[in-house]
Amino acid sequence: MEIEIRKIVTVCEETFIEGFKKAEKPVRIAAALAVIKNPYAGQFVEELQPLINTYSEKLGKLLPKKAMEALNISGEEVEAYGKGALVGLDGEIEHGSAIIHTLTFGNPFRSLCGDAETLLPSAEKRGSAGAGIDLAIKHKMDEKTRSHHMTFETRIPDAPRNDEIVVIAAVASSGRAHPRIGSLHKELEGVFPS
């Protein structure tokens, strides 16, 4: 099976004011989206390893790099991340999951983000061209750091076609603009924000 990418789209957002208050520093999030051919669209295939072998590692390296380039930051400067797959109508959600829920996708992604340690939060769904997908984003070193729990919506007007999958990597240079709900670590210790 050969890799077939129709297009790559990069989306970058910088938020300067949140909740009617200027942010101390802009909240910067970028996502890189690859529109790929789904060779299993319109049929049931038991063995998904050829799909994994073709796309997982390549996209696990390519997409985080593209997202970091959009923010003009290094992997060490990435503070939070997430991933997703949006499968066209003739595919199974399992096809997208097969690509992004592997160590061959996740390990290169974490490595590029300064040897990150947490599991990449994810979102997968099926949709038609132009469908949006909300990507879960969390801190790259500590999933209990609530200030970095965010959602980032992406969409491509002409993708996915019925026989395509949109594979997505997102990175953020900070957490939310004005975090005030405290750390889960403190809550687990019985210390609640006042």
Side-chain angles (χ1 to χ4, degrees):
M1 185 181 299
E2 262 187 59
I3 191 164
E4 188 177 331
I5 299 175
R6 179 165 67 88
K7 66 163 69 175
I8 294 176
V9 175
T10 306
V11 180
C12 181
E13 177 179 284
E14 295 182 273
T15 301
F16 300 96
I17 298 171
E18 175 68 26
F20 308 101
K21 181 180 176 185
K22 187 175 180 180
E24 187 175 308
K25 65 178 185 176
V27 177
R28 302 176 69 231
I29 304 172
L33 303 84
V35 180
I36 64 170
K37 180 78 169 171
N38 182 355
Y40 301 144
Q43 59 183 313
F44 181 85
V45 175
E46 186 67 39
E47 180 55 59
L48 300 180
Q49 196 62 47
L51 182 68
I52 294 166
N53 292 344
T54 301
Y55 288 111
S56 289
E57 185 176 8
K58 291 175 183 78
L59 295 179
K61 291 177 180 177
L62 175 66
L63 295 178
K65 282 183 190 175
K66 293 269 188 194
M68 285 185 274
E69 287 170 6
L71 293 182
N72 195 27
I73 61 173
S74 69
E76 286 73 30
E77 294 171 291
V78 170
E79 290 189 14
Y81 55 21
K83 64 185 177 183
L86 179 59
V87 180
L89 295 179
D90 286 343
E92 291 180 63
I93 294 171
E94 189 73 4
H95 299 155
S97 296
I99 294 169
I100 66 172
H101 289 301
T102 64
L103 292 177
T104 55
F105 183 90
N107 283 348
F109 195 155
R110 281 185 286 276
S111 178
L112 287 164
C113 290
D115 294 322
E117 296 179 0
T118 60
L119 290 175
L120 286 148
S122 65
E124 308 100 286
K125 68 182 237 185
R126 183 175 19 287
S128 58
I133 184 166
D134 292 340
L135 303 172
I137 297 174
K138 292 193 177 183
H139 197 281
K140 72 176 186 178
M141 300 304 275
D142 182 1
E143 67 278 355
K144 293 183 175 86
T145 302
R146 287 181 174 150
S147 59
H148 289 61
H149 288 26
M150 299 182 281
T151 305
F152 187 62
E153 183 181 6
T154 63
R155 71 180 67 243
I156 301 174
D158 70 342
R161 294 175 179 161
N162 290 347
D163 63 347
E164 292 179 331
I165 303 170
V166 179
V167 180
I168 311 154
V171 298
S173 63
S174 69
R176 297 186 310 276
H178 313 296
R180 303 184 296 282
I181 61 172
S183 164
L184 180 55
H185 291 288
K186 290 183 179 178
E187 190 170 330
L188 290 172
E189 295 166 7
V191 179
F192 299 95
S194 53

